[in-house]
Amino acid sequence: MAEEEEKDPKATEFTIIATLSSLSPPQLSNFTISISSLFHRHCCRITAVVSSPSLFSLTLHHLNSLSLSQKSILIAHHLLSTLSPLSLLLHPTSAAPSAKYSNLHNLDAVLLLLLLCEIRQHNPLSLETPISDWRQVLCKYISGNMLTLSYAGLSNITVLSRYVMMVGKCRRFLYLMGFSRSKEVGAAAAAVVALPSVAVEGGRECVVCKEEMGKGRDVCKLPCGHLFHWICILPWLKKRNSCPCCRFRLPSDDVFGEIERLWEIIANKAAGTVVNCYRECV
Ligand SMILES: [Zn+2]
Ligand SMILES: [Zn+2]
């Protein structure tokens, strides 16, 4: 699926659509409401930025001061914040650690970046003007598309299709930036601290050290149910956020690692949905 997505960006959109189609009607309705309200808040924010000459100038200056990799981190955080509600629906214990970028300054910058991309896509020549005229171009675009941008009165299907396009656009952007899926990341400290200790009667083997987990040695239980000596699993989780037995992923503090973790939950659901559809058809 990974290579396929890099070659064919439509595969990302297909994965999201397959996952959305697996939700029950109430789940889909709640999800649509939460996404509309998130996008509506973003629309209000970018409208405020573009309406204020000083705030616009400050945000554009901040955006211009960022390197390409810093911009990709902003996009990644934005993508993560929009994937989280869907992965939480599919896997209620998959809550991500709170986003670290969530200051208004960075939110304004990423919203402006996405709006500039959208405008350029809409009309490639519209930004071929002096930068001093950009605010006027953006104001004109926002006022001409206010209903669509604010999500006011849009049908559920329109909201969802815009969500699918937005996720696809962000993932394509990250691939263009050279985002690698294979990088290993450690588990988030908060997720490790929250792991429970359990009592074991003996007879079970810790797969890391191959020794028995008997009484008197502290044993940790991962959310997937697999048990390990604390002393064995801690160094492992410092380097990798996956279970040594089943590759279940714990949250990570790395934004790209988090995107992969949540994407894996979504893609697994999509794969199950496609297989089920196929079975029903044959
Ligand atoms: Zn061990
Ligand atoms: Zn496991």
Side-chain angles (χ1 to χ4, degrees):
M1 179 63 85
E3 284 175 17
E4 189 188 326
E5 273 177 24
E6 285 178 57
K7 285 179 196 156
D8 176 14
K10 287 281 170 200
T12 293
E13 295 175 7
F14 176 79
T15 301
I16 291 277
I17 292 168
T19 304
L20 290 173
S21 70
S22 74
L23 299 179
S24 68
Q27 277 180 322
L28 195 59
S29 170
N30 287 338
F31 176 71
T32 311
I33 291 168
S34 71
I35 285 298
S36 309
S37 118
L38 178 72
F39 287 172
H40 180 71
R41 285 200 304 279
H42 287 170
C43 176
C44 292
R45 189 61 211 168
I46 192 64
T47 305
V49 169
V50 172
S51 306
S52 155
S54 56
L55 187 54
F56 177 74
S57 158
L58 204 66
T59 306
L60 193 59
H61 182 264
H62 177 46
L63 195 55
N64 283 333
S65 72
L66 298 174
S67 65
L68 211 52
S69 72
Q70 287 171 319
K71 283 183 185 124
S72 75
I73 289 174
L74 279 190
I75 294 273
H77 276 291
H78 187 72
L79 176 59
L80 187 60
S81 71
T82 53
L83 288 181
S84 291
L86 183 55
S87 60
L88 266 176
L89 263 181
L90 303 171
H91 207 296
T93 58
S94 69
S98 56
K100 283 183 182 166
Y101 92 119
S102 57
N103 70 56
L104 215 45
H105 214 34
N106 283 333
L107 178 65
D108 291 348
V110 76
L111 293 178
L112 181 59
L113 180 59
L114 289 174
L115 183 63
L116 290 170
C117 291
E118 183 173 326
I119 290 179
R120 191 179 284 278
Q121 200 174 20
H122 194 252
N123 177 2
L125 295 177
S126 57
L127 294 174
E128 299 294 320
T129 58
I131 290 187
S132 54
D133 293 341
W134 278 15
R135 199 177 73 81
Q136 269 186 324
V137 173
L138 266 58
C139 276
K140 203 172 160 192
Y141 181 81
I142 288 181
S143 58
N145 297 278
M146 184 48 87
L147 275 182
T148 318
L149 290 171
S150 70
Y151 289 76
L154 291 184
S155 67
N156 284 1
I157 195 74
T158 312
V159 171
L160 292 174
S161 68
R162 283 184 66 87
Y163 175 73
V164 169
M165 281 193 292
M166 194 278 298
V167 171
K169 196 195 296 178
C170 287
R171 276 183 72 83
R172 273 196 294 283
F173 185 90
L174 292 180
Y175 281 131
L176 287 174
M177 298 290 104
F179 165 50
S180 164
R181 301 173 60 112
S182 53
K183 188 181 140 205
E184 282 191 336
V185 295
V192 175
V193 168
L195 293 173
S197 284
V198 292
V200 174
E201 285 304 318
R204 290 191 187 204
E205 185 186 76
C206 165
V207 301
V208 181
C209 66
K210 307 290 178 199
E211 287 181 17
E212 190 178 324
M213 292 184 285
K215 283 181 183 172
R217 286 192 70 180
D218 287 339
V219 172
C220 151
K221 185 178 183 183
L222 296 193
C224 52
H226 288 117
L227 306 174
F228 308 93
H229 294 124
W230 272 108
I231 203 167
C232 298
I233 198 67
L234 285 179
W236 176 280
L237 292 177
K238 205 170 174 186
K239 291 182 184 160
R240 307 168 196 87
N241 64 333
S242 56
C243 167
C245 291
C246 67
R247 298 183 55 79
F248 172 90
R249 294 206 207 206
L250 286 169
S252 146
D253 286 330
D254 181 286
V255 62
F256 298 107
E258 271 304 279
I259 288 175
E260 278 319 288
R261 185 176 73 88
L262 300 191
W263 189 254
E264 201 169 271
I265 293 170
I266 292 166
N268 284 343
K269 186 69 180 178
T273 305
V274 172
V275 168
N276 287 340
C277 288
Y278 176 76
R279 282 186 188 142
E280 282 167 20
C281 290
V282 293

